[in-house]
Amino acid sequence: MREKKRFDMNKPANKPRWYLKIVEYIAAPFYMLFNNAHVKVDKDVKKIKGPYFILSTHASFMDFPMIVRAIMPRTTGWVMSVEEFRRGEWLMRGIGGIPKRKFTHGVVTAKEIIRYVKKLNHTCTIYPEARFELAGINERLDGAIGKMCKFLGVPVVMCMTNGNFLNSPQWSKHPYRKIRQEGHLYVLATKEEVEKLSAEELQDRIEKAFIKDEYKWQVEKGYHIKCKDRADGLHRILYKCPVCGKEFKMNSGGIKLWCEECGSEWEMDTLSRLNGLNTDKGFSHVPDWYRWEREEVKKEVRNGEYRFEDDVRIEDFYSVKEGFIDVGNAKMTHDKNGFTFIGEVDGKPFELNKPVSSMYSLHIEYDFMGRGDNIDIADDNTTYFMYPKTAKNCLTKLHFATEELYDFYEREKGSN
C-alpha cells in the first residue's frame, strides 16, 4: 500500500507572487463592489514605511478582500489553517499562506511568522480568534498574541469588520443576507508603543479592540435584512430553550425559531431581533441568548456535572493531494479530563487524549463541506476531523464546555 505523504508544516512561506498580486488587485475591489462592502483606512496606516502586523476580526470570506483592498499596493502574508490549503497549495503558498493547526501550542507557525516579518521584511495578517464568529460577537483570543507583537517589534494594525457576519453567519452561510459590510483599519499600537508597553499591556489592548456586537451594530445603523430565510440555521447556536430548559430540541426555518419540546416560538424581524410569538420568555438579542447558554454550561462544569459522550467518524487531512480521508471510528468522551478518543484508525487501535490544559478553545464546523457537523482535534502533526454519529446539534455546547473547562481547571484552579 502506498504511503501517504503528509502536509509539510515546515516548508518556508513565500512573499506573494507578483502574478497573484495582480489577481488580488483586480478581484478584491470587484468582489467588494458586488457585495456592498466598504473599507476605511486611517492615514496613520498609510504612513507606515516598513512591515506591520495586522490583527483582524474573522466573520466571513469578505475579511480577506477587505484587507487586500485596504493596503493596496502593499500585500500581506496570511496565517491560515492547514485545511485551507485544500484549495490548492500552489495558490495558498503563492499568496503568502502560512499554515497553522488550530488551537495547538506548536512553535512552527510562530517561528514562521517571525521569519516572515523580520527576515522577509513583509507585512503579515493573522486572525487571532482562529475561527469565524459564531454569534456576531468576539470569540476568545490566544493569550500569547501580545507576546508575539512584542517580539516582532513592528506596528500593530487592527482590522475591525461589521456586517460580514450578518451577511453570511457561520450557522447558515447561505443564502447571503444582503446588508452593507464595513471594515476599518487603524493603528492599534505604533512601533514605539510596542517597544514601550509590556506583552501583558499589549494583550489587554488587543482584547479590548476585538470587542464587538454585530446585532447591536445592525440596530444602531438601522440596516434591515429582508432575506426570507434570515433565521434559518439559528438553532445551531441557540440550542437550549429558555422556556422549558431542554437542550438540542430547538429548530429554525425561514424567519422563525422554535422549540420542538414545548412549542415555544420566536420570529426574527428585519433588524435581527427575536420576538416571542407565543411566549414572553427568551431573549430578543441573539448574543444575550448565546451568553446565557454559556453560563448554563459554566454551572455544569463548576458543579462537576458536565460530561459528553458519543461515537464519532474520523477523517484525517493528510495533504492537498490526498485530501480528507476516512480513517476510522472512535468513542469520544469530553469531561474534566479533556477529550478522549478510543477506537480504531487506519486499522490499528487508536487512543488520543487532549487534556483540558492543551485546549483553551475548540474549532467547530456546522455541516463542514456538506460532510456533517464536526470538531477539529489537532496536534503538531495531524488534524483529525471528528464527526459525531448520534448527537444532534451539540457543537456549540462542546465549544462552550472546552472553554469553561479550561477556565475552571487551568486559569482558576491553576492560579490557586
Side-chain angles (χ1 to χ4, degrees):
M1 183 178 178
R2 178 176 60 87
E3 184 177 348
K4 302 179 182 69
K5 185 178 179 180
R6 284 203 173 274
F7 184 86
D8 186 1
M9 289 289 293
N10 295 298
K11 186 176 181 179
N14 308 305
K15 287 184 179 181
R17 303 300 189 189
W18 67 268
Y19 50 89
L20 291 177
K21 289 183 186 180
I22 296 174
V23 174
E24 287 184 344
Y25 292 164
I26 295 173
F30 276 100
Y31 195 83
M32 291 179 63
L33 176 65
F34 288 115
N35 287 278
N36 193 18
H38 312 265
V39 63
K40 174 186 176 183
V41 188
D42 283 7
K43 292 181 180 179
D44 288 343
V45 175
K46 298 178 180 180
K47 291 179 181 178
I48 300 174
K49 298 298 182 182
Y52 46 88
F53 194 37
I54 301 176
L55 308 179
S56 178
T57 56
H58 203 22
S60 76
F61 177 78
M62 187 59 71
D63 303 337
F64 298 97
M66 277 187 173
I67 290 176
V68 171
R69 181 68 183 88
I71 68 173
M72 287 171 55
R74 285 177 177 259
T75 55
T76 178
W78 311 86
V79 177
M80 57 182 69
S81 60
V82 290
E83 64 269 20
E84 291 300 324
F85 284 76
R86 72 183 187 275
R87 305 177 190 278
E89 188 166 0
W90 70 272
L91 175 62
M92 296 296 102
R93 292 196 184 276
I95 63 174
I98 302 172
K100 173 78 169 71
R101 295 194 187 277
K102 295 185 179 77
F103 305 121
T104 59
H105 299 298
V107 298
V108 175
T109 303
K111 287 182 177 179
E112 193 59 19
I113 293 171
I114 293 167
R115 186 189 73 86
Y116 202 87
V117 174
K118 289 199 165 189
K119 291 190 176 181
L120 296 186
N121 200 38
H122 204 76
T123 293
C124 182
T125 297
I126 188 170
Y127 298 91
E129 292 165 300
R131 82 215 88 170
F132 287 134
E133 301 158 8
L134 299 182
I137 57 176
N138 49 295
E139 297 290 350
R140 186 161 303 197
L141 302 182
D142 189 319
I145 295 296
K147 292 180 182 178
M148 174 60 74
C149 293
K150 186 74 176 174
F151 196 88
L152 291 175
V154 297
V156 180
V157 171
M158 178 70 192
C159 177
M160 171 58 74
T161 63
N162 290 110
N164 300 15
F165 169 83
L166 295 168
N167 177 71
S168 181
Q170 177 71 354
W171 39 267
S172 182
K173 296 179 181 179
H174 299 283
Y176 292 136
R177 288 90 164 146
K178 294 181 180 179
I179 187 173
R180 179 183 171 91
Q181 301 174 64
E182 300 175 353
H184 180 203
L185 268 73
Y186 62 93
V187 176
L188 183 61
T190 64
K191 180 177 173 56
E192 292 72 27
E193 288 177 317
V194 170
E195 293 172 351
K196 177 182 177 182
L197 297 174
S198 67
E200 292 74 21
E201 289 171 323
L202 285 170
Q203 182 74 26
D204 182 62
R205 184 178 292 193
I206 292 166
E207 297 271 357
K208 290 177 179 176
F210 271 81
I211 295 173
K212 67 180 300 192
D213 186 330
E214 291 272 293
Y215 292 96
K216 181 181 178 181
W217 172 85
Q218 181 188 0
V219 171
E220 290 176 346
K221 291 285 187 176
Y223 294 152
H224 292 266
I225 294 177
K226 298 180 180 180
C227 174
K228 295 181 180 179
D229 294 310
R230 56 184 174 269
D232 187 46
L234 187 57
H235 68 283
R236 286 171 168 161
I237 61 167
L238 305 186
Y239 63 86
K240 184 168 185 172
C241 178
V243 178
C244 68
K246 292 289 185 180
E247 295 181 331
F248 318 129
K249 294 292 184 178
M250 299 296 294
N251 209 336
S252 61
I255 62 173
K256 293 182 179 180
L257 173 74
W258 64 91
C259 175
E260 295 183 337
E261 181 73 18
C262 69
S264 298
E265 193 172 12
W266 297 263
E267 183 175 280
M268 177 177 275
D269 66 21
T270 57
L271 287 174
S272 298
R273 296 171 299 198
L274 294 171
N275 304 296
L277 296 179
N278 58 1
T279 178
D280 58 359
K281 294 182 179 180
F283 305 84
S284 63
H285 191 56
V286 171
D288 287 345
W289 193 322
Y290 182 78
R291 293 187 181 104
W292 168 73
E293 291 174 329
R294 178 186 286 277
E295 287 301 313
E296 292 292 289
V297 176
K298 184 176 182 177
K299 292 175 186 176
E300 287 185 47
V301 168
R302 279 155 174 70
N303 292 335
E305 300 170 352
Y306 174 76
R307 183 179 176 85
F308 177 86
E309 293 182 353
D310 197 14
D311 292 328
V312 295
R313 176 175 63 84
I314 306 174
E315 289 186 354
D316 192 345
F317 179 72
Y318 276 81
S319 65
V320 174
K321 183 177 181 180
E322 301 292 345
F324 295 91
I325 300 175
D326 276 307
V327 292
N329 299 276
K331 180 177 181 179
M332 178 178 81
T333 302
H334 190 217
D335 55 21
K336 64 181 181 180
N337 298 310
F339 282 99
T340 301
F341 301 87
I342 299 176
E344 185 178 279
V345 166
D346 291 330
K348 300 176 182 178
F350 173 76
E351 184 169 347
L352 172 67
N353 175 248
K354 291 285 287 185
V356 168
S357 60
S358 70
M359 295 179 65
Y360 70 88
S361 191
L362 174 71
H363 186 258
I364 63 177
E365 288 278 1
Y366 305 112
D367 196 21
F368 181 56
M369 297 173 60
R371 305 160 85 90
D373 290 352
N374 74 29
I375 65 173
D376 299 7
I377 301 292
D379 57 27
D380 291 341
N381 301 309
T382 310
T383 297
Y384 291 111
F385 295 82
M386 309 290 193
Y387 295 81
K389 289 186 175 182
T390 305
K392 303 296 182 184
N393 200 30
C394 60
L395 298 193
T396 304
K397 185 174 183 180
L398 287 171
H399 158 76
F400 287 146
T402 303
E403 296 184 348
E404 293 305 323
L405 285 165
Y406 184 87
D407 284 354
F408 185 56
Y409 289 103
E410 293 299 310
R411 291 183 171 172
E412 294 181 23
K413 286 197 169 184
S415 63
N416 293 333

